[in-house]
C-alpha cells in the first residue's frame, strides 16, 4: 500500500484491509482454512490491489472509477446545498473546515472542494485577508 497513512486510505483500500484480516483470522485461529490458504488469499488480494493501483496511476478513467472525483462544495462564497444534502455534510462541518483554514466569512472563499478522502480543502479569494 505504499506510504499511505490510515487517514489517506481510500474506501477500496480500507475494504481490502478488512477482507485480508478476515481471511487471515481463520488461518490463525485454526479454522477450516489452512495457513497456506490464508497466505494465498492475502497474496491474491495484495497483488490485485497493487495492480489496481498501477492501473489507476496509468489511467485517469480507472482512477476516477476507483477513487471518485473531488466536488465543488463552495464556489465564490456560495455553498452547493444540493451536494451537502447528497453527501450528508452539515453546515457546522463546513464552518469547521473553514475555521481550520483561518476563514471566518464564507464570502471570502473562492473555492472549497470535497476531496475523495472526505476532507474539505479551501482556497481563499485573492483579496481575502
Amino acid at each position: 500500500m505504499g506510504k499511505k497513512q490510515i487517514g489517506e486510505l481510500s474506501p477500496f483500500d480500507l475494504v481490502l484491509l478488512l477482507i485480508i484480516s478476515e481471511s487471515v483470522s481463520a488461518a490463525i485461529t485454526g479454522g477450516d482454512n489452512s495457513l497456506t490458504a490464508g497466505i494465498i488469499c492475502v497474496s491474491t488480494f495484495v497483488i490485485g490491489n497493487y495492480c489496481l493501483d498501477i492501473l489507476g496511476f496509468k489511467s485517469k478513467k480507472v482512477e476516477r472509477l476507483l477513487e471518485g472525483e473531488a466536488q465543488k462544495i463552495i464556489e465564490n462564497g456560495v455553498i452547493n446545498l444540493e451536494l451537502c444534502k447528497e453527501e450528508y455534510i452539515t453546515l457546522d462541518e463546513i464552518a469547521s473546515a473553514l475555521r481550520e483554514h483561518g476563514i471566518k466569512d464564507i464570502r471570502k472563499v473562492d473555492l472549497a472542494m470535497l476531496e475523495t478522502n472526505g476532507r474539505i480543502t479551501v482556497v481563499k479569494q485573492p483579496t481575502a485577508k
Side-chain angles (χ1 to χ4, degrees), residues 19 22-23 30 37 41 46-47 59 73 83 85 87 103 105 110 121-122:
I19 290 171
E22 183 64 28
S23 300
C41 184
V46 169
I47 291 168
S59 168
I73 196 162
L83 177 64
K85 195 177 201 181
E87 300 294 337
I103 300 173
D105 187 358
D110 185 34
T121 56
V122 181

Side-chain angles (χ1 to χ4, degrees), residues 32-102:
D32 55 335
N33 293 336
S34 67
L35 180 60
T36 305
I39 291 171
I40 290 170
C41 184
V42 168
S43 299
T44 302
F45 284 125
V46 169
I47 291 168
N49 184 56
Y50 181 73
C51 291
L52 286 175
D53 280 346
I54 289 172
L55 282 173
F57 179 74
K58 292 186 177 191
S59 168
K60 289 296 179 190
K61 286 183 182 180
V62 172
E63 182 183 27
R64 278 194 304 273
L65 179 68
L66 294 176
E67 303 291 332
E69 289 184 283
Q71 297 176 305
K72 293 178 186 176
I73 196 162
I74 301 173
E75 189 170 20
N76 297 321
V78 178
I79 298 176
N80 182 343
L81 294 175
E82 201 56 39
L83 177 64
C84 291
K85 195 177 201 181
E86 288 173 17
E87 300 294 337
Y88 301 105
I89 297 173
T90 66
L91 296 178
D92 288 337
E93 290 172 322
I94 293 172
S96 174
L98 295 180
R99 286 192 301 273
E100 286 177 6
H101 289 85

